[in-house]
Every structure is written in C-alpha cells, then in structure tokens.
Amino acid sequence: MKTLFKKSAIAATMISGLIAGTATADTFNASLNLVQPISLTEATQMDLGDVLASDSDTCTITTGGARSGAACFGSGNGTLAAINVAGTDGQQVDIALTAGTSGASELSFAPAMLDNGEGATTLTGVTLQTNHALYLGGTLTVANGALALSNGVNSVEYQVEVTYQ
C-alpha cells in the first residue's frame, strides 16, 4: 500500500510539473478609430450694429443679418458670426451655445444657431462635414445702458461648445 501511495504521489508530481511547464503566448490586435480633435475658428465676427443704450430693450440679429427690436438703432443689417468647425468628417457631434455677459450686468447676450436649428441653443447628433460652419445670431438685452456707456462696453461674449458623441 505504501508503494502504491508513493507511485501515485510521484505520478501526480510529474503530471503537474508537465502541465506547469507547458505555456503558450500569442500576439493580438486591438482595433481603434483615430479621431481628430475638434477645433473652432471664427471666420466672421458677429456685429450687432448700432444699439441704443436703452434699459430693458433688445436687439435681435437673425438670418441674413436682419435686425429687429427697440434697441436696434438704424435700418442697416448686422453681420452673423461664422464659426468653422474642424474634426473628423462623418462623426456625430453635439453643439451647445452658452449665453454671455459683458461687464457686471450692463448687457446680456443669448446666442442662437441659424443653420439647421433656427434659434436653437443646442443641437445633438449633427454629422460633421468638411468645411462645416455654424452661423450664429442672437438677442442682446440692454440691462443698464448708462453703465454700459460709462464703462465703454462695445462687445458681449458667448461660448460655442462642440463635442463628439
């Protein structure tokens, strides 16, 4: 019985030694899709034209640069912003506009997209194309015209955010 036990132990040790000594290795590939970082450049700066420093009045610039509202001074058109978006063609992106302020509280500006989303501030699932441009307008609200004049305010900020889905 002792001999049988010894032989079984030796056989088990030899088999486990053979198994532990048998190894294999191989190389595998992981696929990926390189995507260009998104970049934004301002091709044309928005120009709201002449605006009256009249409290609580607005001036809105829309398609073709047309202006309307009590704060719009004169009859001329403004200029829409043209923002070029570069990235990987065919990828889906989301676009969001954020309202801006100028100074403490003199003026506020609510931007709006005028291409593929008349007046929208967000678009989702837009397919990025070669030479993709966003045309933007919006509404300027004069909160404190006297303060804006004394501080020499002549611009308002807004933010454009474009992200891949």
Side-chain angles (χ1 to χ4, degrees):
M1 177 121 158
K2 271 186 170 181
T3 310
L4 180 59
F5 182 72
K6 272 186 180 179
K7 288 182 183 177
S8 296
I10 292 171
T13 302
M14 288 179 62
I15 290 172
S16 67
L18 289 175
I19 292 172
T22 306
T24 187
D26 205 345
T27 302
F28 299 93
N29 290 316
S31 63
L32 56 98
N33 182 27
L34 288 176
V35 195
Q36 292 178 337
I38 295 173
S39 66
L40 303 175
T41 54
E42 185 178 52
T44 305
Q45 182 179 22
M46 186 184 309
D47 185 352
L48 295 166
D50 293 331
V51 177
L52 291 172
S54 176
D55 293 354
S56 301
D57 285 340
T58 63
C59 181
T60 300
I61 183 170
T62 61
T63 306
R67 298 179 327 133
S68 63
C72 295
F73 180 75
S75 59
N77 281 351
T79 304
L80 297 177
I83 309 295
N84 291 328
V85 181
T88 301
D89 291 348
Q91 290 292 320
Q92 299 289 306
V93 296
D94 294 338
I95 303 167
L97 304 180
T98 304
T101 58
S102 179
S105 61
E106 299 100 324
L107 307 171
S108 63
F109 182 68
M113 286 181 255
L114 299 176
D115 60 332
N116 300 323
E118 294 296 321
T121 57
T122 59
L123 292 175
T124 58
V126 176
T127 301
L128 199 56
Q129 301 168 1
T130 304
N131 301 321
H132 197 104
L134 302 174
Y135 296 96
L136 309 175
T139 300
L140 176 78
T141 301
V142 179
N144 188 333
L147 185 58
L149 282 171
S150 68
N151 288 337
V153 176
N154 61 5
S155 66
V156 289
E157 296 177 345
Y158 61 97
Q159 184 176 10
V160 179
E161 182 179 355
V162 180
T163 55
Y164 286 117
Q165 284 190 335

